[in-house]
Amino acid sequence: MDFLITLACTTAACFLLRNPVKRFPVLFYVLAAALDMLFLVGCFGLLPWFAWSGLLVLMRRCLLAFSLFTVVMFVGVLPAGSKARAWLAPVRGELSLVACILAAGHVGFYVASYAPRMLAGGAVEPAIAASLALALVLLALLAVLGVTSLKSVRTRMASTPWKRLQRLAYPFYLLACAHVACSLLPAALHGGTAAQTSIVAYAAVAAAYLVLRLMRFAMDRRRARAAAQRAGI
């Protein structure tokens, strides 16, 4: 439920803040980095409980970053002529970069939590081990997608290679959903209602995206064939 609430609020914020994000992207990058720093400060018990409880949900569980990634991905499968796509498509790169910066706090927390245990040879549940393995793949993809989302990089790269690299967002998003499911699985198997509900919510969003992505792919292919036929005529 926390994920769906965060996703709804994030979506609304993206629509409302679209113009400021487009005009002042660096401001939002700085704010995202500031949230990371606040989260790390909170990890040492230096924040009041009301601030820490909110950051704990949004940052440790990566809900805010994942919700931003979800908005970015769903914009890409909206109908080409839709108002929502026309409004948010110009800031997809900026939103992606904000999400990448926010995800850094989540990554830092879990590296600090699990690295000592793994290096010491401590036992880790299979589902958690799978989640950590996926996290390594996601981290590599996140670095590539984050760097190529920078405007300075986009403008210097040729269009075709840049588009090919950006297609890594598709496996990244689906693997992120699998990573979340693996991390929640132990609690869900032990009867955790919140974990079970969260897995269903993430799975539903991932399934909806996959269906829409396949539909969009089929529509794009039909348009390309029709254009080729017209050109041939």
Side-chain angles (χ1 to χ4, degrees):
M1 185 61 70
D2 287 341
F3 166 57
L4 295 179
I5 293 172
T6 304
L7 178 58
C9 294
T10 301
T11 303
C14 288
F15 277 96
L16 291 172
L17 297 173
R18 183 264 195 192
N19 286 337
V21 169
K22 190 63 181 174
R23 288 190 64 190
F24 311 108
V26 175
L27 172 61
F28 288 88
Y29 303 154
V30 170
L31 289 174
L35 277 178
D36 284 338
M37 294 303 297
L38 276 176
F39 174 62
L40 294 177
V41 167
C43 290
F44 292 97
L46 300 177
L47 288 180
W49 69 268
F50 58 87
W52 173 238
S53 59
L55 284 174
L56 198 61
V57 173
L58 295 177
M59 301 296 290
R60 191 186 76 173
R61 292 167 56 190
C62 211
L63 290 186
L64 185 55
F66 189 84
S67 295
L68 271 175
F69 282 128
T70 299
V71 172
V72 169
M73 297 304 292
F74 271 82
V75 168
V77 296
L78 292 175
S82 68
K83 291 183 179 179
R85 181 184 174 90
W87 183 249
L88 290 180
V91 293
R92 287 183 76 197
E94 289 82 356
L95 294 176
S96 295
L97 193 51
V98 170
C100 289
I101 295 169
L102 290 171
H106 169 80
V107 171
F109 176 84
Y110 279 97
V111 166
S113 299
Y114 282 99
R117 188 188 309 181
M118 300 292 287
L119 292 173
V124 178
E125 292 187 52
I128 298 299
S131 177
L132 292 173
L134 286 171
L136 292 176
V137 178
L138 289 169
L139 186 58
L141 292 173
L142 187 70
V144 173
L145 292 169
V147 169
T148 53
S149 292
L150 289 167
K151 188 175 181 180
S152 57
V153 175
R154 293 202 309 265
T155 55
R156 293 179 182 179
M157 287 185 67
S159 176
T160 300
W162 184 82
K163 287 180 179 178
R164 286 175 180 169
L165 283 175
Q166 286 298 301
R167 286 178 187 146
L168 293 173
Y170 306 144
F172 170 81
Y173 185 66
L174 295 176
L175 287 174
C177 292
H179 165 69
V180 172
C182 288
S183 64
L184 292 171
L185 190 58
L189 292 176
H190 286 87
T193 304
Q196 293 169 355
T197 303
S198 294
I199 288 177
V200 171
Y202 281 104
V205 171
Y209 173 75
L210 188 57
V211 169
L212 291 173
R213 180 69 262 176
L214 292 173
M215 290 173 61
R216 181 62 192 272
F217 178 72
M219 290 173 61
D220 289 344
R221 287 194 66 181
R222 284 198 295 269
R223 288 197 187 98
R225 287 174 182 171
Q229 289 174 354
R230 288 194 298 270
I233 293 173

